[in-house]
Amino acid sequence: SSDLVSRAATEGRELDVQITTNAWALTEDQIIQMKRWNTHLQLSLDGDERTQNAQRKPLESGGDSYARGPAAHLDTLHRHGLDYRLIMVVSPSTVAQMVDNFEHLVGLGARCIQLNYAIGIPWDVAASEQYAAGLACIGERVEALWASGHLLDWVNLREAPVSVRNNLHVTVDFDGTVYGGNAFLVQASGREKFRLGNLDEHHGWHRYMVDGKSDADVFSNWKRRASVEETTRVGAVEASYVRWMQGRHPQRLGRGHTRSL
């Protein structure tokens, strides 16, 4: 809120707010307010209308998660200068369309895109090879955009992923519950096993990191169909490609930076 922004300024600190959303209920008034709060939006948009509605099924019958999603708000975000990135998730069922879906986001005018491979879903060797081929095609397209002066930020190229816990960050749910990692987002039962506390307890971020869940804790409580080996297989494909691209564009991208898978 504005009170928090004022408090941070009084204490000589800058408040950064990050919100991950499907933009279903996003309005222009909210965008204007979030700009005042120095907000960064992470928006879920997996591609064209068919892909988005297949992977982001709306709860209400007849709903359209593409028409109500980030695609409808990009012009408004650009007009008000709100910082954002589009999160495009690729699964084994959509990997054959990943290049077309990436092109679709570029065609919408997206300025910042992060491509995520779906975790907890079996990635066999064939699907991983398709993912590798898709990355190569997208890379050629991005290089062509750069050559034409387009400043598209393909977030993946900033850091090569390394194999660590699913999510190193503590995660806060809408009700203030603090969880270790983000596995609670994809499994309805057993989420209490990931619970660390609540914002009302007024603990600091570092307390939750120190007292958080270990790799073994997180993986032992996952209820996912894919093995760790399958997840790290496709992660290794991306890591190799990112390092290769960093070597091709050291001044633009740097090299040697890492992030979690």
Side-chain angles (χ1 to χ4, degrees):
S1 69
S2 56
D3 290 341
L4 288 175
V5 174
S6 299
R7 175 183 169 185
T10 300
E11 297 176 1
R13 297 187 291 175
E14 183 175 314
L15 179 67
D16 292 321
V17 180
Q18 178 177 299
I19 299 175
T20 302
T21 177
N22 59 13
W24 185 271
L26 189 63
T27 66
E28 183 168 7
D29 287 343
Q30 290 172 339
I31 290 173
I32 293 171
Q33 189 63 38
M34 284 189 284
K35 175 65 177 177
R36 296 172 184 155
W37 297 344
N38 196 28
T39 303
H40 172 81
L41 282 183
Q42 298 205 18
L43 301 163
S44 304
L45 183 59
D46 296 339
D48 61 18
E49 184 173 1
R50 180 177 181 180
T51 302
Q52 179 74 352
N53 278 299
Q55 293 203 155
R56 309 276 181 179
K57 297 182 184 298
L59 291 176
E60 60 184 45
S61 178
D64 188 329
S65 61
Y66 182 87
R68 292 285 299 269
H73 299 284
L74 286 184
D75 288 343
T76 305
L77 291 169
H78 294 159
R79 188 167 64 254
H80 294 290
L82 186 65
D83 188 35
Y84 75 90
R85 73 176 60 170
L86 296 183
I87 307 295
M88 173 184 151
V89 176
V90 180
S91 66
S93 64
T94 65
V95 68
Q97 293 79 44
M98 66 181 285
V99 177
D100 290 340
N101 281 323
F102 192 92
E103 285 280 8
H104 183 79
L105 302 192
V106 172
L108 290 174
R111 299 174 182 173
C112 183
I113 302 173
Q114 178 175 321
L115 194 155
N116 290 352
Y117 53 87
I119 59 175
I121 296 176
W123 283 87
D124 59 21
V125 173
S128 298
E129 290 176 347
Q130 280 188 294
Y131 188 76
L135 289 175
C137 289
I138 290 172
E140 291 178 359
R141 172 63 168 143
V142 170
E143 287 181 326
L145 288 170
W146 289 345
S148 69
H150 196 296
L151 299 179
L152 176 68
D153 180 7
W154 185 13
V155 175
N156 302 68
L157 299 182
R158 299 180 191 171
E159 303 172 311
V162 294
S163 181
V164 293
R165 196 177 78 198
N166 172 44
N167 186 335
L168 284 175
H169 302 292
V170 295
T171 309
V172 181
D173 204 0
F174 71 94
D175 60 358
T177 304
V178 180
Y179 293 95
N182 63 7
F184 76 95
L185 292 169
V186 294
Q187 56 186 63
S189 61
R191 59 173 52 196
E192 279 299 310
K193 294 179 181 178
F194 301 98
R195 188 181 187 279
L196 300 179
N198 191 280
L199 290 180
D200 291 339
E201 297 164 351
H202 303 294
H203 293 313
W205 178 80
H206 288 93
R207 162 74 179 275
Y208 289 121
M209 287 298 294
V210 172
D211 296 339
K213 303 295 183 181
S214 67
D215 296 3
D217 291 331
V218 173
F219 283 120
S220 66
N221 289 311
W222 274 13
K223 294 180 174 63
R224 298 185 174 182
R225 293 183 286 119
S227 66
V228 175
E229 179 184 0
E230 288 172 309
T231 299
T232 55
R233 176 191 293 132
V234 69
V237 166
E238 181 176 315
S240 177
Y241 179 76
V242 169
R243 287 193 292 267
W244 181 77
M245 281 290 282
Q246 288 178 344
R248 283 173 59 82
H249 304 277
Q251 292 185 333
R252 178 185 290 270
L253 301 173
R255 60 187 308 164
H257 300 292
T258 61
R259 63 180 174 84
S260 60
L261 290 176

